[in-house]
């Protein structure tokens, strides 16, 4: 049974058939991220982590226009000299919690994803994008730089040259380019985006939850180190997964020609 998350002003959580949806809900400001919104996103992901009924999370934005149009520019404009670094550190910590959730997170980019909005999507494991929208990192146009991990995660996903083009021009890219860059995994018309995203989610939900967590960990930790060290991380995790009931259940279910019944143990 899904436990209810306390009502939050700017973020909603709903879970059905093991698929949770976290929605940033500040549509009058195109879901822009102020400190309160960031704290509530963190709370919603903490809830998803603890919710035994949640196997995969979709992160999206409320309204027709935006996923998240960036960090709240009004709040940035009143920032103190020392506040900038602290804000960046707080935001980075929230995004790290998403990346290390232990459950797959899909960013369903239903509209504008600029600045902190795109950075939020970059911390998710895969991304789907509405065909009518554009995404980008326009920060340098405001004479700031990406501060929620954009300068680090974007080059790791699309390569340094493409990332630098996006960051230094500040120009948005089209869905076709985003797909070509490997920045998003699927593009679909807005009306079909939910169905496309759910198809991707349900392909993940059928798999062993511990295997999903450990495979993600191997990819994330392994891509930050040497091949030799990455292979060691992989075999350590392979050893751990081999000690689980779910691994025996997965293998036995195949041999017995039945659907596996995973317990996450
Ligand atoms: N921070 C704070 N408020 C924002 C915002 C942001 N990043 N992005 C949009 N908003 C607010 C607007 O100020 C406006 O509020 P108002 O109605 O009280 O004036 C409301 O959201 C609607 O935005 P608006 O600009 O009228 O919508 P639009 O459809 O004409 O344009 C965008 C949409 C996304 C192109 C435009 O809002 C924009 O350029 N936003 C900033 C994007 C950005 O630079 N993000 C990175 C920040 S570091």
């Amino acid at each position: 049974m899904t436990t209810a998350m306390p009502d939050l002003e700017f973020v909603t959580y709903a879970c059905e058939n093991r698929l949770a949806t976290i929605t940033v809900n500040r549509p009058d400001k195109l879901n822009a991220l102020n400190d309160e919104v960031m704290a509530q996103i963190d709370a919603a992901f903490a809830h998803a982590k603890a919710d035994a009924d949640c196997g995969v999370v979709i992160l999206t934005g409320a309204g027709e226009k935006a996923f998240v149009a960036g960090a709240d520019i009004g709040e940035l404009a009143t920032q103190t000299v020392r506040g900038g670094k602290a804000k960046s550190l707080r935001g980075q910590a929230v995004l790290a919690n998403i990346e290390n959730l232990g459950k797959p997170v899909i960013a369903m980019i239903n509209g504008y994803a600029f600045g902190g909005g795109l950075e939020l999507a970059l911390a998710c494991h895969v991304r789907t994008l509405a065909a009518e929208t554009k995404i980008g990192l326009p920060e340098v146009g405001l004479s700031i730089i990406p501060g929620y991990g954009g300068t680090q995660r974007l080059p790791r996903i699309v390569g340094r040259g493409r990332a630098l083009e996006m960051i230094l021009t500040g120009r948005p890219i089209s869905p076709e380019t985003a797909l070509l860059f490997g920045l998003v995994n699927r593009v679909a018309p807005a009306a079909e985006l939910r169905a496309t995203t759910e198809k991707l989610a349900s392909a993940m939900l059928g798999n062993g939850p511990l295997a999903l967590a450990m495979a993600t960990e191997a990819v994330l930790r392994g891509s930050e180190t040497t091949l030799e060290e990455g292979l060691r991380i992989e075999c350590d995790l392979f050893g751990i997964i081999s000690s689980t009931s779910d691994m025996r259940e997965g293998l036995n279910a195949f041999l017995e020609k039945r659907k596996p019944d995973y317990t996450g143990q």
Side-chain angles (χ1 to χ4, degrees), residues 11 33 36 38 65 96 121 131 162 166 180 188:
V11 178
L33 304 170
E36 189 56 35
M38 288 299 278
K65 275 171 91 170
R162 289 164 164 173
M166 285 179 66
L180 186 74

Side-chain angles (χ1 to χ4, degrees), residues 26-33 65-66 68-76 112-117 119 136-139 142 144-146:
R26 198 191 176 203
D28 56 321
K29 295 289 179 192
L30 304 186
N31 305 320
L33 304 170
K65 275 171 91 170
V68 167
D72 189 306
I73 297 174
E75 205 177 72
L76 289 176
Y112 298 126
F114 290 133
E119 291 174 297
L137 293 177
E139 283 91 341
L142 301 166
I144 54 173
I145 70 168

